[in-house]
Amino acid sequence: MKRVLLWILMLLALGMVALVAAGCALYSRADVNTVGELGFENELAIPPLLEPQEEDGRKVFDLTLQQGRAELLPGKPAETWGANGAYLGPTLRAERGDHVELRVRNELPETTTVHWHGMHLPGAADGGPHQPIEPGETWTPSWEVDQPAATLWYHPHPHGETADHVYRGVAGLFLLDDPETSGVALPGDYGVDDIPLIIQDKRLDDDGELDFSQGLISPTGRLGGTILVNGTSSPYVEVGDERVRFRLLNGSNARVYNVGFADDREFDLIATEGGLLETPRRMGRIQLSPGERAEIVAAFQPDEQIVLRSFEPDLGTNFWENRFTGGDDSFDLLEIRAAAGLTPSPEVPGSLAAGERYIREDATRTRSFELSGQSRINGRKMDMSRIDEIVRPGATEIWKVRNAAGIPHNFHPHGVSFAVLDYAGEEPPAHLSGLKDTVYVPPDETVSLLVRFPDYPDPASPYMFHCHMLMHEDRGMMGQFVLADQGGEDAGERSAHGQPGHNHAEDRG
Ligand code: C2O
Ligand code: CU
Ligand code: CU
C-alpha cells in the first residue's frame, strides 16, 4: 500500500517538473527583440491620397475591397486583402463641413463591413456589424464631417471576424482638416514632412505568407515578430525637412507599442485620436495600444540616420502575462535618413488649438463597464439583438471602465471622442491629456472618461463599444449603445449589472 502511494507521489512530482519545464520553455521563447537586427533596405510605402469626385456638393470616395498579392517580404508575394490595392488602402482626406459619401464595393469572398474609427457620424453610417456588405455589393453611407482636424482610420468590423479581416490587410487612414486650425504652423505636406506610419505586426511563414496561427499561450491574440509600417518590412524613409510630423496608427490586432527614438531624443506630441492638443507636450516615448493614434513632430540634423523604435511597453501585467502579451518585446520600426541640406521648418507653436467643450459638470449620467476575462463586458458577451445602453443624443456622460482581468484590454466607443478624467486613480498623464477615442485600461485599474455623444437620434442603428484587442472583440468583449431620447438623465451611479433597455435593434437595418 505504502509503495503504491509512493509511486503516485513520484509520478505527480514528475508531472509537476514536466509542467514547469514546459512553462519555462514556452516562456523563454515567447519574447521578441529585433533591435539592431534590421537592414532597413526597403523604402517606406506611403498610402496614396484618394481624390474624391465632386458630385452635387458632396465629396465621393470610391473604395473597392479586394484580394491581391503583396510583397510583405520583398520577393515573396503573399495572399492579402486591401482597398483599391493588394494591401491596406488609400488615405482619405476631408474637411470639417464637407458632405462626404463613401462608395464601398466588396469584391472579397466574404461578407464584411467598413467602419470609420473615430468619426462622429450617424449610427447607420458607422460601418459596424449592423451594416454588412455582401460580396459583390456596394454600401454607400454619407454624412457631414463635424469634428476637429484629426487622424482617423477605417477598417472592417464584421461580427466575429474583425481580427481576421484586419489582419489580412483591409485598413487605411482617414484624415480630417479643420479651417479653424489649418493656419497653425505645423508640418503638413502629406508624405513629405507629414508622414503617416501604420504600424502592424505579422506572423509570416517561410514563403512570406500570412500565418494565421498563434502561440499556445496568447491571452490577447496573435502577436507577430515581423513589423510592417504602411505594409513595408524593414523600412527606411528619407526626409528633407528640419522638422517632420509623423501620424502614428497602431493598426495591429493585439500588440502594444512604446514608440520613441533610439537615441532617446524628445519630440512634441501634438495630437491624439480626437485632434490637436491645446499645447504640445514634450516626451521621449508614446505608448499606443491597438486602434490608438498620435501625431508627433520630431527634429532632425542634416545627414543623420536615426531609428524609430518600439521599446518594451508598460502593460501593467504580472511577470507571466507580461511575457505572453508582448510586454517584453522591442522592435526597430523605421530608419529615418535626413538629407545633407534640410529645409528649415518653423518651431512647433506653443498653442495648437482652442479647447473643445468637454466639461465634467456637463455630465448627466455615469455608467460603469467592467471588462472581464477575454470576452465579457459587465458579465455579458456581445449580442447583436441586445441594446446594452441607451444614451440621450447630444449628451455628455462619464463612462468608468474597469479592467477586472489580469491581462491587457483597451476600450473604444464608436462615434465619439472623450477626455480622460482619471487614469488608474491619477490625473491623466501627458499622453492622455488630449481628446481620444481609444484608451488602454491596465489590469485591475479603472479609467474614467468624459464622453460627448453626437446628436444623431436613431434607435435602430446601434454604435459599438469594445476592447480593440481584436480577438477579444470577436470573442464578445463588445456591447451596443443607441442614441435615443429614452436615454434620460440620472445623476446617480449605475451598477455594472444594471438593467439595460430591452428594445431590439433592427438586425440588418
Ligand atoms: Cu476600430 Cu469598433 O473599431
Ligand atoms: Cu471605432
Ligand atoms: Cu481586451
Side-chain angles (χ1 to χ4, degrees):
M1 191 63 211
K2 264 213 183 118
R3 183 166 298 180
V4 173
L5 211 65
L6 216 64
W7 274 108
I8 289 175
L9 278 173
M10 286 256 297
L11 280 172
L12 274 174
L14 272 172
M16 286 290 285
V17 168
L19 214 65
V20 168
C24 285
L26 280 172
Y27 183 91
S28 65
R29 268 182 282 142
D31 64 327
V32 192
N33 181 345
T34 68
V35 168
E37 285 179 3
L38 300 190
F40 305 113
E41 52 283 274
N42 308 312
E43 186 170 5
L44 177 74
I46 302 291
L49 279 171
L50 179 61
E51 278 306 317
Q53 329 254 22
E54 296 282 345
E55 280 177 27
D56 340 300
R58 285 164 304 144
K59 284 189 180 168
V60 181
F61 296 89
D62 281 290
L63 283 181
T64 300
L65 312 181
Q66 57 194 73
Q67 294 176 278
R69 294 191 79 82
E71 294 191 11
L72 304 181
L73 296 179
K76 294 184 170 182
E79 272 185 46
T80 52
W81 290 4
N84 300 3
Y87 186 80
L88 293 179
T91 297
L92 314 182
R93 189 155 200 169
E95 192 174 70
R96 192 169 200 164
D98 280 346
H99 289 264
V100 295
E101 179 171 306
L102 281 297
R103 282 196 297 235
V104 188
R105 183 170 167 74
N106 181 8
E107 287 180 1
L108 298 171
E110 291 176 33
T111 301
T112 191
T113 83
V114 174
H115 163 61
W116 321 102
H117 179 133
M119 195 75 72
H120 304 177
L121 40 45
D126 186 50
H130 292 279
Q131 288 95 33
I133 320 170
E134 310 292 334
E137 298 289 305
T138 300
W139 176 60
T140 317
S142 63
W143 66 90
E144 183 187 335
V145 174
D146 186 21
Q147 66 192 92
T151 300
L152 313 184
W153 67 304
Y154 59 90
H155 63 79
H157 218 298
H159 188 50
E161 301 290 337
T162 297
D164 184 270
H165 290 197
V166 173
Y167 188 69
R168 288 175 185 272
V170 184
L173 290 169
F174 203 143
L175 309 185
L176 296 183
D177 300 306
D178 185 349
E180 186 109 341
T181 49
S182 56
V184 183
L186 290 168
D189 196 352
Y190 181 80
V192 178
D193 66 357
D194 181 355
I195 299 177
L197 301 176
I198 303 172
I199 306 170
Q200 299 173 303
D201 63 326
K202 301 290 173 193
R203 289 165 89 95
L204 300 174
D205 69 17
D206 292 340
D207 301 324
E209 296 281 357
L210 288 172
D211 179 347
F212 290 84
S213 70
Q214 63 188 44
L216 199 56
I217 305 176
S218 44
T220 52
R222 184 185 308 120
L223 294 174
T226 302
I227 305 292
L228 304 179
V229 183
N230 302 344
T232 309
S233 58
S234 194
Y236 73 88
V237 67
E238 288 171 350
V239 300
D241 291 88
E242 263 176 20
R243 289 192 173 79
V244 178
R245 171 189 197 158
F246 294 101
R247 296 178 189 251
L248 306 169
L249 158 65
N250 182 347
S252 306
N253 283 35
R255 192 176 279 292
V256 178
Y257 303 95
N258 189 15
V259 179
F261 291 93
D263 64 354
D264 291 328
R265 78 182 57 187
E266 295 199 315
F267 49 82
D268 286 300
L269 176 72
I270 57 163
T272 46
E273 292 97 77
L276 293 171
L277 307 185
E278 289 180 39
T279 56
R281 307 296 290 259
R282 223 45 212 156
M283 54 188 67
R285 301 274 188 275
I286 177 82
Q287 185 161 310
L288 298 171
S289 69
E292 286 188 288
R293 288 93 66 209
E295 298 179 36
I296 63 171
V297 175
F300 300 102
Q301 298 297 320
D303 246 344
E304 71 169 337
Q305 305 192 345
I306 178 76
V307 172
L308 189 70
R309 187 167 283 171
S310 177
F311 298 85
E312 294 181 7
D314 177 9
L315 302 177
T317 34
N318 69 29
F319 175 81
W320 177 260
E321 299 291 359
N322 206 50
R323 174 59 59 107
F324 293 100
T325 53
D328 295 328
D329 298 352
S330 32
F331 297 94
D332 278 352
L333 301 174
L334 171 72
E335 185 176 74
I336 296 151
R337 300 180 185 165
L342 293 176
T343 308
S345 324
E347 294 217 10
V348 175
S351 142
L352 301 171
E356 292 282 314
R357 209 186 130 78
Y358 283 72
I359 300 168
R360 187 191 279 260
E361 285 67 41
D362 287 349
T364 49
R365 188 158 179 169
T366 299
R367 303 182 202 243
S368 299
F369 301 89
E370 188 177 274
L371 314 176
S372 58
Q374 297 182 6
S375 61
R376 285 169 200 274
I377 298 180
N378 291 344
R380 298 184 299 204
K381 292 191 182 190
M382 165 73 177
D383 177 346
M384 289 276 283
S385 63
R386 184 191 68 228
I387 298 302
D388 299 279
E389 308 291 338
I390 303 175
V391 176
R392 188 166 48 77
T396 298
E397 299 193 352
I398 294 172
W399 281 25
K400 290 188 175 179
V401 186
R402 177 174 156 72
N403 180 352
I407 57 170
H409 291 302
N410 68 7
F411 190 76
H412 165 56
H414 284 199
V416 301
S417 301
F418 55 74
V420 179
L421 290 175
D422 183 285
Y423 195 77
E426 285 171 31
E427 289 271 297
H431 77 283
L432 301 178
S433 62
L435 293 180
K436 296 187 54 73
D437 61 43
T438 307
V439 65
Y440 185 71
V441 188
D444 304 312
E445 298 289 357
T446 300
V447 174
S448 296
L449 313 174
L450 188 65
V451 191
R452 269 187 66 189
F453 293 86
D455 199 352
Y456 298 117
D458 181 358
S461 300
Y463 298 85
M464 307 297 120
F465 54 87
H466 58 89
C467 176
H468 219 290
M469 305 268 173
L470 299 180
M471 183 185 81
H472 294 169
E473 174 191 329
D474 284 342
R475 289 192 173 172
M477 190 173 275
M478 178 154 74
Q480 317 192 80
F481 71 93
V482 291
L483 295 177
D485 286 324
Q486 308 94 288
E489 312 200 350
D490 166 14
E493 192 87 4
R494 198 179 135 94
S495 101
H497 302 278
Q499 288 301 306
H502 279 103
N503 59 331
H504 286 245
E506 275 304 319
D507 217 8
R508 306 258 127 148

